[in-house]
Amino acid sequence: MSGVSGFVSSEKPIEVVGGEGVHLTAADGTEYLDVGASYACAPLGHCPPDVVEAVVEQARELLYVQGSYPVGARAAVHERLAALAPGDVDRVWLANSGAEAVEAALKFARSATGGTKFVAAQRAFHGRTMGALSVTWKPTYREPFEPLPETEFVPYGDADALADAVDEDVAAVVLEPVQGEGGANVPPEGYLRAARDAADAAGAALVLDEIQTGLGRTGTLWACERAGVVPDVLTTAKGLASGLPMSAALCADWIADAAGPHGSTFSGNPVVAAAANATLETLVAEDLPARAAETGAYLRSELTDAGFSVRGAGLLVGVEVDSATRTLRRLALDHQVLALPAGRRVLRLLPPLTVEKRHVDEVVAALSAVAEVPA
Ligand SMILES: *Cc1c(COP(=O)(O)O)cnc(C)c1O
């Protein structure tokens, strides 16, 4: 996730002017199949009509009012997320970006536990504000801003290393149930359960960052369901409001009741809330998590049959390639397929959950044509 405008330029040579379903349209009229450009922020595809309509309607009525005045759209998001939350993690804190949801989780965990340290995983990505950055692994992101709050990084998937790192000074163990930016890494069976046990034994909070894995991406509404583990805080963002800025930290009572002072001017604003309500309604009504499971299994098996090394879950898929940059460029320019990197040698696919098998066939054909499969 690099800068997209302003000081740091990683702009792509394609000016996107429109989107519909799984496609994006460029200024020159070219249509691209999007299996990554929307960064998991378009679970229903681009410009889903129900979401667009809800946004327009809400914008006409009320764009903004201070968060301490009750607003129907915001109350409905609270209710929906509480109803969809796994286990008892149903106290909803709304924010405006993934990093802010993580930020809230870290602050709340400190307040509720009295601990100050964090334990996170190597290759983890949790965002770039100071707190979120402190649990993000990549040295090039972190080092210029040190000292950051103290975090011990342990190898992802190693339950013993995790248990060794968690002591009474730890406020939270912070993990992605499947690592996204770190390479679509799926941990071994039992890992999240072991993390749950280690956090419990030390009185630390277990924070599962589902900003990328949540909302059906891995084939169940929340990825933690696959492991049968309920965290103390679950963060969600990305596709929550179909790409408008909304995130949430879903908290257990013991966290919410002890949360220290925190707040945000924009959080839960009516228009973004309307987008989230329409998104969540469609996601559930069309059972998109189940669809992601099915299409994702098809995608992974087709890629495997084509000779690729593949990992991931549902529609969060990593494909090993010789060079991610070169492959992405040729996919885009020669085949009009937009994907993402996850490190130098992994291509990441995060299509809308509404992607169909015929689109999967297009992606696999394009990848087979351009990618040098590493030896
Ligand atoms: C994208 C992402 C974030 C950060 O979200 P922003 O909205 O960019 O702040 C945090 N955690 C995970 C797992 C993510 O994928």
Side-chain angles (χ1 to χ4, degrees):
M1 262 161 253
S2 32
V4 287
S5 60
F7 304 106
V8 189
S9 177
S10 61
E11 273 185 15
K12 310 283 184 272
I14 297 166
E15 189 196 345
V16 175
V17 294
E20 189 182 352
V22 296
H23 290 101
L24 288 167
T25 308
D28 67 359
T30 310
E31 253 205 3
Y32 292 86
L33 177 58
D34 173 18
V35 290
S38 44
Y39 252 139
C41 295
L44 315 181
H46 291 282
C47 297
D50 291 352
V51 176
V52 171
E53 201 170 300
V55 164
V56 169
E57 229 169 77
Q58 180 61 56
R60 284 218 177 86
E61 267 171 34
L62 180 67
L63 278 178
Y64 179 78
V65 68
Q66 182 193 325
S68 44
Y69 293 88
V71 163
R74 184 189 308 115
V77 174
H78 276 263
E79 266 171 42
R80 272 205 175 80
L81 282 176
L84 295 175
D88 56 356
V89 188
D90 57 4
R91 302 278 293 278
V92 178
W93 179 272
L94 296 179
N96 316 289
S97 68
E100 281 175 82
V102 171
E103 208 67 41
L106 300 179
K107 285 178 75 176
F108 297 166
R110 275 194 172 185
S111 300
T113 64
T116 56
K117 288 193 330 196
F118 302 111
V119 173
Q122 292 172 5
R123 303 191 185 286
F125 184 84
H126 298 292
R128 296 175 184 253
T129 54
M130 286 290 204
L133 185 61
S134 72
V135 288
T136 287
W137 178 74
K138 206 172 182 176
T140 51
Y141 293 172
R142 297 167 50 81
E143 278 167 6
F145 302 104
E146 285 173 344
L148 294 163
E150 187 182 348
T151 298
E152 181 168 349
F153 289 95
V154 292
Y156 187 67
D158 182 337
D160 293 336
L162 183 67
D164 284 347
V166 185
D167 59 30
E168 268 73 44
D169 298 333
V170 172
V173 175
V174 186
L175 293 170
E176 295 157 272
V178 175
Q179 287 188 325
E181 172 158 334
N185 305 317
V186 181
E189 183 115 13
Y191 181 61
L192 294 181
R193 167 60 48 199
R196 174 73 277 174
D197 293 344
D200 286 343
L206 176 64
V207 176
L208 290 182
D209 180 351
E210 296 239 21
I211 288 168
Q212 195 159 141
T213 56
L215 301 172
R217 174 64 44 193
T218 69
T220 46
L221 185 63
W222 308 111
C224 63
E225 290 171 45
R226 292 161 20 96
V229 168
V230 177
D232 301 300
V233 185
L234 181 153
T235 55
T236 174
K238 292 259 156 53
L240 178 56
S242 285
L244 297 194
M246 176 177 274
S247 65
L250 311 182
C251 302
D253 282 337
W254 74 275
I255 301 280
D257 290 339
H262 192 50
S264 157
T265 301
F266 289 141
S267 70
N269 91 75
V271 174
V272 176
N277 284 317
T279 302
L280 291 171
E281 196 173 310
T282 305
L283 196 92
V284 170
E286 297 185 1
D287 200 3
L288 292 182
R291 199 158 145 187
E294 195 190 324
T295 319
Y298 179 70
L299 171 60
R300 294 195 308 280
S301 85
E302 291 296 296
L303 285 167
T304 305
D305 289 351
F308 291 99
S309 282
V310 182
R311 54 181 181 260
L315 285 171
L316 196 177
V317 174
V319 188
E320 285 179 28
V321 291
D322 197 44
S323 154
T325 314
R326 197 163 53 227
T327 305
L328 283 169
R329 199 178 165 78
R330 293 200 53 203
L331 274 180
L333 299 182
D334 301 347
H335 297 271
Q336 292 74 52
V337 171
L338 306 180
L340 275 173
R344 278 204 301 272
R345 297 172 68 115
V346 178
L347 207 70
R348 187 169 29 145
L349 308 179
L350 292 172
L353 307 185
T354 51
V355 71
E356 293 172 28
K357 286 184 178 169
R358 63 195 166 96
H359 304 124
V360 167
D361 294 340
E362 266 180 63
V363 173
V364 175
L367 250 175
S368 302
V370 306
E372 302 99 278
V373 180

